[in-house]
Amino acid sequence: GKVEFCLGTEEMHMPTPPDLSQENFRVFSSVEKSKLPSSQLGLVISSYYQTIDVLQTSNQRSLKVQSLHSLGSLLLFADKKRAAFKCWSQALDDIFRKPDVLHNWKEFGTSLPGAPSSSSPPGFKDYSEEFLSKFGIWGCLQAAMITAKIAQFIKTANVKKRINCCILSALLFQSLLRTTLPHPKAERNYAQYEITQLLPGIELFSDKFRADICSVIASLYYVIRELHYAKYNLIVLPLLALYQYFVSVICQDIVRNLEARILKIEILIDLGFFSEAFYELFQIYHGKNMPCAIPAGYKATMKVKLLPRGFCPV
């Protein structure tokens, strides 16, 4: 049959999503959605600013941080780096409830001495437990992603400031390992440690606006690579365990799993952990601890063994 559309009819937006089972699909907008034109980007940005003001007035700090985070990403897309940096810095200050966090985070309360190693920054201290107790899981995760983005997109010319942001992001990511589960505290203990369960009873990525799995993985991997290039390899080991958990257990991504494990071998060799590096290489060679290629709920196809030509079973 012939399909025709009513060209003069426009779609009316309702306060609730439409019931697609009752949709007639008579207008183009019901079957095709065009991307937002660049001319409307300013309107979206101004709407974000107004929303943030409302959230500030109503004391919705968590939603305000999420909005500032999203607005910063949008401003970066619009090539407004200074405005993006301002939004992300304000979001960090709201999480920490302290001004100028990027420069003053090392003065945050007490701290725990980290494991001494030449691969750790001078005077390195572990603030991850205190971060978790003060900001909670979602606050640490938001702050970790924001600081990683500042390091990647804003502090591109200043290596010292970029590494400082990456260290802060690493500590915030490590806060996820300071929950009730007995994960190791010393970085070197993660040389052969694999996370099988992170936060029981909590769907970490149930709300993509609060924690988007793609953004988390991208930010975490950037921090891992940057600290590895700067030779802060010991700090990277817990982050690699966390990254492998995300890409293997949650995403079931074989390619990223192998990529992370090969990088882990390089880091272990740089640290002089040769037996651990050989063990990891042995595991990869034999296909151990690989993500399942068949999604849960699917039945594996039965392998049919071909008999030799001319063979006649009795």
Side-chain angles (χ1 to χ4, degrees):
K2 188 177 180 181
V3 178
E4 294 183 354
F5 293 97
C6 301
L7 300 179
T9 306
E10 293 186 1
E11 182 182 12
M12 180 180 295
H13 295 280
M14 304 301 292
T16 57
D19 184 3
L20 296 181
S21 63
Q22 305 297 326
E23 180 64 58
N24 294 321
F25 300 102
R26 292 182 177 178
V27 294
F28 279 113
S29 58
S30 62
V31 295
E32 182 183 23
K33 299 292 183 182
S34 59
K35 66 178 182 179
L36 183 72
S38 56
S39 59
Q40 299 295 319
L41 192 59
L43 179 62
V44 176
I45 292 174
S46 64
S47 299
Y48 258 106
Y49 278 117
Q50 293 176 15
T51 302
I52 290 169
D53 291 339
V54 172
L55 294 173
Q56 172 71 26
T57 305
S58 58
N59 199 26
Q60 298 286 335
R61 190 170 59 89
S62 178
L63 292 176
K64 179 189 173 185
V65 169
Q66 293 181 41
S67 300
L68 285 168
H69 185 183
S70 300
L71 178 58
S73 301
L74 183 61
L75 289 167
L76 183 71
F77 172 77
D79 202 21
K80 298 180 179 180
K81 287 188 176 182
R82 182 173 296 181
F85 178 49
K86 183 178 179 181
C87 286
W88 286 337
S89 298
Q90 186 179 349
L92 283 178
D93 293 349
D94 284 346
I95 293 173
F96 280 71
R97 299 189 181 185
K98 184 177 181 180
D100 200 16
V101 168
L102 282 179
H103 299 94
N104 301 325
W105 66 268
K106 292 181 181 179
E107 303 171 4
F108 181 82
T110 58
S111 59
L112 302 174
S117 170
S118 59
S119 299
S120 296
F124 174 73
K125 296 179 180 180
D126 188 357
Y127 297 82
S128 55
E129 284 191 17
E130 189 163 357
F131 285 165
L132 180 64
S133 64
K134 294 289 185 181
F135 315 135
I137 295 170
W138 307 114
C140 289
L141 194 56
Q142 283 279 343
M145 288 190 291
I146 291 171
T147 48
K149 289 181 178 180
I150 290 175
Q152 184 175 5
F153 300 110
I154 306 299
K155 304 296 184 180
T156 55
N158 193 315
V159 177
K160 184 177 180 180
K161 291 183 179 180
R162 186 168 71 246
I163 295 301
N164 183 64
C165 286
C166 287
I167 292 173
L168 174 57
S169 181
L171 291 172
L172 288 162
F173 273 121
Q174 284 188 36
S175 299
L176 301 179
L177 302 173
R178 301 294 187 255
T179 55
T180 54
L181 286 180
H183 298 299
K185 290 187 177 181
E187 286 88 351
R188 65 167 295 121
N189 292 338
Y190 284 88
Q192 289 185 346
Y193 183 77
E194 293 192 5
I195 302 172
T196 56
Q197 192 177 28
L198 183 62
L199 300 168
I202 297 178
E203 292 291 339
L204 196 61
F205 302 106
S206 59
D207 184 357
K208 69 175 184 178
F209 296 104
R210 182 164 54 178
D212 178 57
I213 181 64
C214 297
S215 297
V216 171
I217 287 176
S219 298
L220 181 56
Y221 191 69
Y222 170 79
V223 172
I224 290 171
R225 298 291 302 191
E226 198 69 24
L227 291 178
H228 171 50
Y229 292 148
K231 303 301 181 182
Y232 296 149
N233 291 312
L234 201 60
I235 309 174
V236 171
L237 291 180
L239 304 183
L240 270 173
L242 190 62
Y243 181 82
Q244 284 184 262
Y245 172 79
F246 288 152
V247 300
S248 303
V249 178
I250 296 180
C251 298
Q252 299 285 311
D253 192 324
I254 297 178
V255 175
R256 284 187 170 85
N257 172 274
L258 284 172
E259 185 181 45
R261 295 172 78 174
I262 292 172
L263 177 60
K264 183 178 181 180
I265 293 172
E266 295 179 15
I267 292 172
L268 290 172
I269 292 174
D270 288 346
L271 288 169
F273 298 167
F274 299 112
S275 59
E276 289 85 351
F278 177 78
Y279 174 79
E280 191 68 33
L281 188 61
F282 178 84
Q283 293 284 91
I284 294 176
Y285 180 78
H286 289 278
K288 302 292 185 180
N289 299 325
M290 300 293 290
C292 181
I294 301 174
Y298 285 79
K299 184 178 180 180
T301 56
M302 184 176 62
K303 293 183 179 180
V304 180
K305 185 177 181 181
L306 298 178
L307 299 176
R309 183 175 297 178
F311 178 80
C312 182
V314 179

